[in-house]
Amino acid sequence: MQAEDKVYIAGHRGMVGSAIVRKLRAMGYERLVYRSSEELDLRSQSAVTDFFATERPDYVFLAAARVGGILANDTYKATFLYDNLMIESNIIHAAHLYGVKKLLFLGSSCIYPRLAPQPLREEYLLTGALEPTNEPYAIAKIAGIKLCEAYRHQYGSNFISVMPTNLYGPGDNYDLAGSHVLPALIRKFHEAAKQGLPEVVIWGTGSPRREFLHVDDLAEACYFLMQTYNQAGFLNIGTGEDLSILELAHLIRSVVGYEGRIVHDLEKPDGTPRKLLDVSRLKALGWEAGISLEAGIRSVYEGLKGEAWY
Ligand code: GFB
């Protein structure tokens, strides 16, 4: 992929897609193509086919997806399954029809069995039952991996997949009902500090362990793999380090400067007990994450000053 190439970023307004756009612009790419969901409904096969016929991109980053935290996944199961299956099927098939040179599909670490050994190695895919709170999303993402593999096998398409761990960064979702834990806790601690509240409620026991990657690191890894990785077999992208949700809560509490208590809502689900990626394959290729969790949280928090709820 070179700066003169035409690159389509599906999902450019999302946290991941916008980080990929920033990275490509920084690398001198000017022929970037994207559409908002109002302009192009990626669930419509005819609309996606027409778009590819008109634009004919050379390269595609498939970062468009219906995403959300544990509660959104658990509530809107049909939406998470249908939207994601349609989006990825339409784009991957159109990329094949219109001769895209290379496509990178973004999956998720929730594709792995709920109780797989840790850290999660790529070969653990489809070795056990999935976490029920996000099974529909995981099934859709597994289908995306299999589409890339099948098109490579049957047609020789250079389609690759990556599995990022839990992500955070600029452009995240701060709506408490739909968001992931990291933005939710930043908002909860910030609002509690501002209003002088005595406690902050976190969901579940606080004992599940998660790994968090800054989305700028993810965008860099995706760009690196778009340049260098052209073979079958998807790759994990993470930091290789995790912490408990309670430890995360304490870290965010100290960044925000809140001094009240942390209490638990045990009616809310814990989800997967642990999700830590084995990143040795990616490291062996020459890429490692560069943004520490504390530095990443500080910069995200700093960047929130203009938000309406801040
Ligand atoms: O980030 P999160 O929503 O998603 O939740 P998952 C992670 C953990 O944080 C769970 C706890 O154990 C939550 O119960 N938690 C504590 C909170 N307080 C809060 C809070 O205020 N908000 C939220 N959202 N969680 C999702 C999957 O799983 O992660 C998706 O559902 C996807 O499919 C995504 O894989 C990356 O890590 O549990």
Side-chain angles (χ1 to χ4, degrees):
M1 195 171 72
Q2 291 173 331
E4 312 76 74
D5 289 321
K6 192 170 192 180
V7 186
Y8 170 43
I9 303 95
H12 76 288
R13 290 211 294 206
M15 180 171 75
V16 171
S18 56
I20 292 173
V21 169
R22 285 196 298 279
K23 175 67 186 172
L24 291 172
R25 291 217 187 283
M27 299 308 291
Y29 287 76
E30 287 172 1
R31 297 177 67 214
L32 304 184
V33 189
Y34 33 74
R35 295 286 187 280
S36 66
S37 50
E38 296 83 48
E39 292 163 335
L40 172 62
D41 183 350
L42 294 172
R43 295 166 303 181
S44 159
Q45 188 187 36
S46 58
V48 171
T49 309
D50 289 350
F51 167 75
F52 271 78
T54 309
E55 290 291 351
R56 296 190 174 260
D58 300 306
Y59 291 88
V60 174
F61 287 89
L62 207 181
R66 173 76 57 195
V67 299
I70 191 166
L71 201 61
N73 267 268
D74 201 25
T75 309
Y76 306 108
K77 288 182 186 288
T79 310
F80 275 77
L81 184 56
Y82 177 78
D83 286 6
N84 288 312
L85 284 173
M86 296 304 283
I87 292 168
E88 68 204 22
S89 301
N90 290 339
I91 293 177
I92 289 170
H93 189 63
H96 156 64
L97 289 180
Y98 290 94
V100 164
K101 292 181 187 143
K102 184 168 179 182
L103 174 146
L104 180 146
F105 169 70
L106 283 126
S108 162
S109 59
C110 67
I111 56 155
Y112 291 109
R114 171 184 160 82
L115 299 177
Q118 306 280 329
L120 297 156
R121 299 171 64 89
E122 286 88 350
E123 57 264 34
Y124 299 160
L125 180 71
L126 294 175
T127 55
L130 296 164
E131 156 63 28
T133 55
N134 61 30
E135 191 192 73
Y137 183 73
I139 294 273
K141 290 295 182 184
I142 293 170
I145 298 173
K146 293 297 171 188
L147 279 166
C148 290
E149 289 176 359
Y151 279 69
R152 174 180 292 278
H153 180 82
Q154 188 175 338
Y155 304 116
S157 315
N158 192 4
F159 294 171
I160 64 170
S161 312
V162 298
M163 299 306 121
T165 194
N166 287 31
L167 300 168
Y168 70 99
D172 212 338
N173 172 13
Y174 287 84
D175 160 35
L176 293 179
S179 69
H180 290 102
V181 61
L182 193 149
L185 295 188
I186 290 181
R187 180 169 181 170
K188 285 181 181 179
F189 282 112
H190 175 77
E191 290 184 337
K194 199 169 71 174
Q195 295 162 23
L197 303 178
E199 60 188 36
V200 161
V201 179
I202 69 168
W203 297 354
T205 60
S207 60
R209 298 183 69 84
R210 295 287 183 274
E211 174 189 15
F212 296 93
L213 179 73
H214 193 285
V215 73
D216 287 346
D217 268 341
L218 173 73
E220 203 186 277
C222 290
Y223 183 72
F224 169 75
L225 293 172
M226 204 58 154
Q227 301 292 40
T228 56
Y229 188 78
N230 299 302
Q231 62 198 63
F234 65 90
L235 290 171
N236 289 337
I237 306 181
T239 63
E241 287 172 23
D242 67 351
L243 77 177
S244 74
I245 297 301
L246 189 58
E247 286 166 339
L248 176 74
H250 281 287
L251 177 58
I252 294 176
R253 179 173 174 267
S254 85
V255 168
V256 170
Y258 174 69
E259 289 178 351
R261 286 191 308 275
I262 296 172
V263 296
H264 298 265
D265 175 357
L266 297 175
E267 301 286 300
K268 294 286 193 306
D270 268 350
T272 310
R274 192 175 185 200
K275 253 193 292 188
L276 173 65
L277 293 178
D278 183 311
V279 288
S280 42
R281 288 186 65 197
L282 185 58
K283 270 194 184 168
L285 293 169
W287 190 88
E288 275 183 54
I291 304 172
S292 77
L293 182 57
E294 180 166 352
I297 292 173
R298 284 192 191 282
S299 81
V300 164
Y301 186 51
E302 192 61 30
L304 289 172
K305 289 192 170 135
E307 296 293 317
W309 55 265
Y310 188 90

